[in-house]
Amino acid sequence: MAELDLDPFTDVLDVPMYVVTAAAGDDRAGCLVGFASQCSIHPARYMVWLSEANHTFKVALRATHLTVHVLRREQRELARWFGSQTGDRVDKFERVAWHESADGSPVLNEADVWFVGRIEERIAGGDHVGFLLTPTEQSPPAPQAPALLRLSDVKDFEPGHPA
Ligand SMILES: Cc1cc2nc3c(=O)[nH]c(=O)nc-3n(C[C@H](O)[C@H](O)[C@H](O)COP(=O)(O)O)c2cc1C
């Protein structure tokens, strides 16, 4: 039987887009991510899925924590920078303001809503690997939920690191 893709399903969901960052030693990395969701309430856990092809995946393998940021709708160019370039060729952190979380994971100053998560486990998903995260630090509560950048806003982007 022919393999189905999930486009008709995921197009309707129009998931929010994230920038996920990692650091290990002097290496920093980050990429645009659409595959992510909460997966436990007690304990609070979140799962993000990184493509094995990405520079971010390679750094994340050596990291203890990841930072998961959501972007406001108007932050399309920031999303393009992280989603259409690869850290194999550019230093994405040269052009953006960031600071270190308590655990050394990069936090993008432009993002209002983010959390840092300790990597508990990695789970094979197919061409992406799931990083199971327990939150250790997070941005202050947003006064009101921002309009988020979603898949439909960035569908025209060419991934910087094709799988
Ligand atoms: C709409 C869109 C969604 C993406 N979702 C993911 C994702 O869920 N996980 C992932 O690892 N890469 C995802 N990517 C691909 C990476 O963001 C992209 O290849 C990036 O350039 C990789 O950068 P890096 O090599 O520096 O890690 C997505 C790209 C786009 C344009």
Side-chain angles (χ1 to χ4, degrees), residues 9 12 18 39 50 56 58 71 77 82 97 100 126 133 148 154:
F9 186 80
V12 171
Y18 306 79
C39 57
L50 296 178
T56 305
K58 292 173 191 111
L71 301 183
E77 290 315 310
F82 277 91
E100 267 185 18
L133 304 176
L148 297 181
V154 299

Side-chain angles (χ1 to χ4, degrees), residues 17 30-35 49-51 54-56 82-87 92 128 151 154 157 159-161:
M17 299 306 297
C31 69
L32 190 66
V33 162
F35 296 166
W49 297 88
L50 296 178
S51 162
N54 290 353
H55 175 74
T56 305
F82 277 91
S84 294
Q85 298 286 338
T86 172
K92 296 184 187 178
H128 286 58
L151 180 60
V154 299
F157 289 5
H161 213 309

